[in-house]
Amino acid sequence: TGLQDALNLGWKLAYASRVDDAAAEELLRSYEQERRPVARRILDLTRLMFWAEAGIGPLPRLLRSRLTPLAARGLPWLPHWASLCRLAVYFLAEFWVRYGRSPLSTELRPRSRHLRAGNRLPNYLVDCNGRRVRLHALTATPGVHVLLARAAEAFDSAAPSSWLNVHRLDSWPGTGVAIVRPDGYLGLSAAYVDSSEVAAWLAR
């Protein structure tokens, strides 16, 4: 949680230092809007775990003394034990965190399970500039990354190239565009390039 807090706030502080006060205030306000709901869920989970682990009532005592030992002996023999372990890591690492309701999330495409604004960028293998590369490696350079589908219109921007990176994915069919924030979350996802929408998102 602390790592995600720092990553979410760090790039916003860096960008806010380059713009006027009004734009900086809006950008920094999004930190609380995105991270406070996550903090609430983590606190709820912490309270539940503490209740189960240290509660003095009859129910948590029954869970600890009778049910937990029985469950612990049977878990390794479950047919999907490995999948349960992966699910636990996924949950504890907070890969489930989404920012779909953030003011920085703009969704302009029919509902997609993977490339939704506010979702963490999946780590797909893609073809870009004649090489096969993972999306996380492609977007590891600091800054904002604009991902263009194979048939998407070219995107021209007056923004400094030091923080804006544009990639055309030859293995992504269609005319879509996705903008990846510096923290690896999708800020904009659209079925086609609308220069005004892209410019508006970058201005935010």
Side-chain angles (χ1 to χ4, degrees):
T1 302
L3 286 170
Q4 287 202 24
D5 285 345
L7 190 57
N8 188 293
L9 183 59
W11 73 269
K12 293 173 182 177
L13 287 170
Y15 280 59
S17 68
R18 304 181 180 194
V19 297
D20 60 70
D21 291 343
E25 185 178 346
E26 182 181 356
L27 181 62
L28 293 177
R29 193 183 301 121
S30 71
Y31 166 73
E32 183 174 2
Q33 293 167 330
E34 291 179 353
R35 296 303 298 169
R36 186 171 288 276
V38 176
R40 286 197 193 100
R41 278 175 278 179
I42 295 300
L43 283 173
D44 289 342
L45 175 64
T46 303
R47 291 188 186 104
L48 177 63
M49 292 175 66
F50 184 79
W51 172 83
E53 183 181 79
I56 59 174
L59 183 55
R61 289 169 63 187
L62 176 65
L63 286 172
R64 289 194 303 271
S65 63
R66 300 295 174 86
L67 300 182
T68 301
L70 289 174
R73 283 197 293 268
L75 280 176
W77 303 102
L78 289 176
H80 302 293
W81 169 243
S83 297
L84 288 173
C85 289
R86 282 194 293 271
L87 182 62
V89 171
Y90 177 90
F91 184 78
L92 292 174
E94 297 184 21
F95 291 141
W96 48 267
V97 172
R98 304 285 185 268
Y99 303 133
R101 296 183 180 180
S102 167
L104 302 184
S105 298
T106 302
E107 182 64 40
L108 300 171
R109 69 164 63 240
R111 188 166 184 82
S112 168
R113 189 163 62 93
H114 300 293
L115 293 176
R116 296 286 295 175
N119 286 9
R120 187 171 180 269
L121 179 71
N123 196 23
Y124 295 149
L125 267 172
V126 296
D127 295 326
C128 181
N129 295 327
R131 64 191 182 106
R132 193 84 165 148
V133 62
R134 290 275 179 188
L135 278 176
H136 287 183
L138 184 66
T139 58
T141 305
V144 170
H145 293 263
V146 179
L147 307 179
L148 299 173
R150 185 168 54 227
E153 293 181 18
F155 171 70
D156 297 318
S157 173
S161 59
S162 62
W163 65 269
L164 184 66
N165 309 277
V166 181
H167 313 278
R168 185 170 296 278
L169 306 183
D170 301 320
S171 55
W172 182 12
T175 59
V177 59
I179 299 181
V180 185
R181 305 171 0 165
D183 59 0
Y185 281 83
L186 288 165
L188 179 143
S189 181
Y192 60 91
V193 175
D194 183 328
S195 296
S196 61
E197 288 285 355
V198 173
W201 189 91
L202 291 172
R204 278 205 302 278

